[in-house]
Amino acid sequence: MSILTWTYIMVGVTFGIYLTIAWLSRVKDAKGFYVAGGGVPAIANGLATAADWMSAASFISMAGMISFMGYNGSVYLMGWTGGYVLLALLLAPYLRKFGKFTVPDFVGDRYYSNTARVVALVCAIFVSLTYVAGQMRGVGVVFSRFLEVDVNTGVLIGMAIVFFYAALGGMKGITWTQVAQYCVLILAFLIPAIAISMKVTGSPIPQIGFGGSIAAGPDSGQLLLQKLDEIGVALGFGGYTSPFAGLSMLNVFCITMALMVGTAGLPHVIIRFYTVPSVRAARLSAGYALLFIAILYTTAPAVASFARYNMIQTLAEVDYKADSPSPLPTWFQNWSPTGLVAWVDKNDDGKVQFYGPGKGGGAAIEGKPELVADKTNKYGMAQISNTLTDNANELYVDRDIIVLANPEIAMLPAWVIALVAAGGLAAALSTASGLLLVIASAISHDLYFRIINRQASEKQRLLVGRIMIGVAVCIAGYFGINPPGFVAQVVALAFGLGAASFFPIIVLGIFWKRTTREGAIAGMIAGIGFTMLYIIQCTPAFMGMKPWLLDIQSTGIGTVGMLINFAVTVGVSLVTPAPPQEIQDMVESVRIPRGAGAATDH
């Protein structure tokens, strides 16, 4: 069977499972909608948390970033992994003991202020919308290649699917769907990784093959990473394992730190610890989730290296014309209609020149490929209308396709390629649904019920929540169609906003009784305000200014925003009246993370 047929089967079966689970888990009360009734077993919550955590950025884009950036791409690996450990060990048990539905709920009650609650609500919406936009983009990328529709249509299909099961089942439906999605995505990531590791290095364990020798071909016996270093230098990209090539040490630190502390402030992960029946179960589920996440995260660097090696071996300076009318391999021809890869034969020699800055290379074209409808060039590739640049590089490859294209580049069976498509969709949809619930909860619970209408019935609150999911899906879809960067970079911006807004006030709220509402409000506004301003100014898709603060990139500016938040919160707290005694007593109580601490609805 063809790849398309297999993809319809894999995607159809998995979507059928998700929708069936959502229908069976549909809820009729607020507690089921917000925290799945608070009775999810620890291991199931660990699986759901891992799926919630490993988004399209982890599954699709992280290996692509590492593959293109080499050592510097590891900032995403270190930041996201370190952040989860920070969240699981430092914050999760205390938040669970506090027992609120949402992060704005925690902020509102800890800082005895509805103003603080509203500020936190606005921050949660900004962070979640930015994050979910990256997921919708990932859905569009998968659909565009494997179901042969354009990226925008793919985003629209993803919007419809995720709206159905998020609105129907709330947190209960999302939780059990995420359990199934974790199983799909981890199989989809591991099966091709093991097969490619066997082909490239002869080892069935990718993590071992990553540091092993190449098994066959002209490079047989040479260490894989050593060969990648040689190739990178020869093509002008620098050594694959060389540190700080093209990214300064300060930027590496800032991006890693922003991802790490941003993780600890992401509301869609925090809310998962309210779905289990006790603090002990929250600790157990955090441990399970760490194990499940580690399986994929330790495999990603190996996948990135295999993909880089295979891609260059099949493209750069290879003369296919002796055996085929096309000068390009089949995998490249398959991806060409998506506009996510492009080749412009500037010197008309029929071979791909793929060069980095060290060899006179750079961007092959201006902007991203713009396809000319129903037209192909003389090599049978999709025609593009972009202006060519005057450097030596002729190749454009979107980093988001690396994991998805990897099985095709390695010439694995069609069913494996289709399985990867299903895994990519599972990763994107699982995180998108969690984020949409956060947005819906923030508005329907924290704004509508806690501030606007305290007499609202369960039915009214559920209706508002479902309407808000629909509104959020539409906004996320717009940014998925018009993304401000690669999937991982869009997600990195969300983590920066999370770092600058929530992390300081959650940490201080738990560990410093003297933190006041005035300090928390001022800190959140200062932190996220500065970070958003910098992102708008210095992100290429927005104003595109040159980074003006120590050359720190917009993806790492959340670290500075976090420090500003800490400084402002502490400074203002010291000059304003101390919190009431009952608040200080409550903080003392939360610091002992034992007991049931069920999620409560005050």
Side-chain angles (χ1 to χ4, degrees):
M1 284 191 283
S2 67
I3 293 175
L4 183 62
T5 305
W6 271 112
T7 304
Y8 275 115
I9 293 173
M10 292 284 186
V11 173
V13 169
T14 53
F15 275 24
I17 293 171
Y18 306 153
L19 297 178
T20 302
I21 292 173
W23 179 257
L24 295 175
S25 306
R26 61 191 185 279
V27 295
K28 295 180 179 177
D29 61 87
K31 193 169 183 179
F33 190 82
Y34 294 132
V35 292
V40 178
I43 191 166
N45 196 50
L47 288 164
T49 304
D52 209 351
W53 173 247
M54 293 189 291
S55 62
S58 295
F59 187 95
I60 297 174
S61 199
M62 183 171 66
M65 299 293 279
I66 297 172
S67 185
F68 274 80
M69 297 170 67
Y71 177 94
N72 291 334
S74 63
V75 297
Y76 294 93
L77 195 67
M78 294 186 294
W80 285 330
T81 310
Y84 183 79
V85 174
L86 188 67
L87 174 63
L89 299 182
L90 181 64
L91 298 179
Y94 303 101
L95 289 169
R96 182 64 184 80
K97 180 70 181 293
F98 206 87
K100 292 292 179 288
F101 277 165
T102 66
V103 174
D105 233 3
F106 167 84
V107 173
D109 285 11
R110 164 60 183 86
Y111 294 108
Y112 46 101
S113 165
N114 274 340
T115 304
R117 187 190 308 276
V118 171
V119 173
L121 182 152
V122 172
C123 292
I125 292 173
F126 271 119
V127 172
S128 301
L129 275 177
T130 309
Y131 199 176
V132 79
Q135 310 314 308
M136 300 314 296
R137 172 70 177 173
V139 170
V141 170
V142 175
F143 273 121
S144 68
R145 163 63 188 94
F146 296 106
L147 295 183
E148 299 187 0
V149 298
D150 63 48
V151 173
N152 297 348
T153 305
V155 171
L156 294 175
I157 296 172
M159 288 167 60
I161 296 290
V162 77
F163 171 75
F164 178 82
Y165 72 78
L168 191 67
M171 178 58 89
K172 187 179 178 185
I174 287 171
T175 297
W176 292 108
T177 305
Q178 285 172 336
V179 170
Q181 286 168 334
Y182 176 82
C183 298
V184 172
L185 75 88
I186 201 65
L187 286 174
F189 204 82
L190 289 182
I191 288 175
I194 291 170
I196 297 171
S197 180
M198 286 287 291
K199 292 186 76 168
V200 175
T201 69
S203 171
I205 303 174
Q207 291 86 344
I208 295 176
F210 174 56
S213 301
I214 297 168
D219 305 316
S220 177
Q222 194 167 354
L223 288 171
L224 174 63
L225 293 178
Q226 185 182 51
K227 183 61 187 177
L228 286 173
D229 279 339
E230 289 179 8
I231 291 173
V233 171
L235 296 178
F237 293 101
Y240 186 74
T241 60
S242 300
F244 314 122
L247 196 63
S248 69
M249 184 184 295
L250 178 62
N251 267 306
V252 168
F253 172 80
C254 285
I255 295 172
T256 304
M257 180 60 73
L259 294 174
M260 192 176 291
V261 297
T263 297
L266 281 182
H268 75 295
V269 177
I270 292 173
I271 200 172
R272 290 230 56 87
F273 295 108
Y274 296 142
T275 64
V276 291
S278 67
V279 171
R280 182 175 181 275
R283 286 183 184 278
L284 270 176
S285 68
Y288 282 129
L290 187 59
L291 172 66
F292 299 139
I293 291 169
I295 295 172
L296 187 144
Y297 269 56
T298 56
T299 308
V303 170
S305 301
F306 301 149
R308 178 105 181 146
Y309 179 74
N310 282 335
M311 186 187 78
I312 292 176
Q313 293 300 310
T314 58
L315 280 179
E317 298 285 355
V318 179
D319 186 0
Y320 284 89
K321 286 194 292 189
D323 305 317
S324 164
S326 171
L328 292 164
T330 304
W331 75 265
F332 197 94
Q333 297 174 46
N334 290 340
W335 278 91
S336 173
T338 67
L340 297 171
V341 297
W343 171 51
V344 285
D345 193 9
K346 293 178 180 176
N347 57 7
D348 203 28
D349 67 347
K351 297 179 184 177
V352 176
Q353 272 77 50
F354 181 39
Y355 293 133
K359 281 282 188 178
I365 55 176
E366 291 184 1
K368 297 184 177 182
E370 295 177 6
L371 302 180
V372 180
D374 302 324
K375 284 197 173 183
T376 57
N377 61 22
K378 65 179 180 180
Y379 298 120
M381 301 293 110
Q383 181 74 46
I384 62 173
S385 59
N386 302 67
T387 303
L388 305 188
T389 55
D390 59 0
N391 63 59
N393 183 38
E394 300 179 339
L395 183 67
Y396 171 89
V397 178
D398 190 308
R399 299 175 187 184
D400 289 340
I401 74 163
I402 288 299
V403 167
L404 301 174
N406 205 17
E408 286 182 271
I409 299 173
M411 294 186 286
L412 297 184
W415 69 268
V416 177
I417 298 168
L419 179 62
V420 173
L425 289 170
L429 295 177
S430 61
T431 304
S433 57
L435 290 164
L436 291 171
L437 188 74
V438 166
I439 296 169
S441 302
I443 296 176
S444 64
H445 180 73
D446 298 305
L447 180 63
Y448 176 69
F449 176 62
R450 298 299 302 272
I451 296 177
I452 296 176
N453 183 8
R454 289 290 294 172
Q455 306 305 316
S457 65
E458 294 267 336
K459 189 176 179 181
Q460 288 174 313
R461 293 164 63 191
L462 285 174
L463 178 63
V464 172
R466 284 168 172 149
I467 291 173
M468 285 304 106
I469 286 179
V471 172
V473 163
C474 293
I475 297 173
Y478 172 79
F479 285 109
I481 292 170
N482 303 284
F486 298 107
V487 171
Q489 289 173 327
V490 173
V491 170
L493 297 179
F495 278 69
L497 295 174
S501 55
F502 288 134
F503 183 73
I505 58 162
I506 290 175
V507 171
L508 291 173
I510 294 170
F511 296 106
W512 192 39
K513 291 189 294 184
R514 187 65 177 77
T515 314
T516 67
R517 64 184 173 194
E518 293 84 0
I521 294 169
M524 281 190 289
I525 292 174
I528 201 167
F530 167 80
T531 305
M532 285 190 66
L533 177 66
Y534 195 90
I535 286 174
I536 291 170
Q537 288 180 325
C538 302
T539 299
F542 298 129
M543 295 177 67
M545 289 171 54
K546 189 177 186 300
W548 49 265
L549 181 62
L550 302 174
D551 204 31
I552 296 174
Q553 293 185 3
S554 56
T555 46
I557 200 63
T559 299
V560 181
M562 173 197 68
L563 295 175
I564 291 173
N565 188 335
F566 265 119
V568 171
T569 303
V570 171
V572 174
S573 293
L574 289 175
V575 297
T576 48
Q581 189 57 46
E582 64 268 23
I583 296 295
Q584 298 190 40
D585 293 342
M586 178 179 66
V587 174
E588 284 284 359
S589 168
V590 168
R591 285 182 194 169
I592 305 172
R594 290 194 295 269
T600 54
D601 182 11
H602 297 276

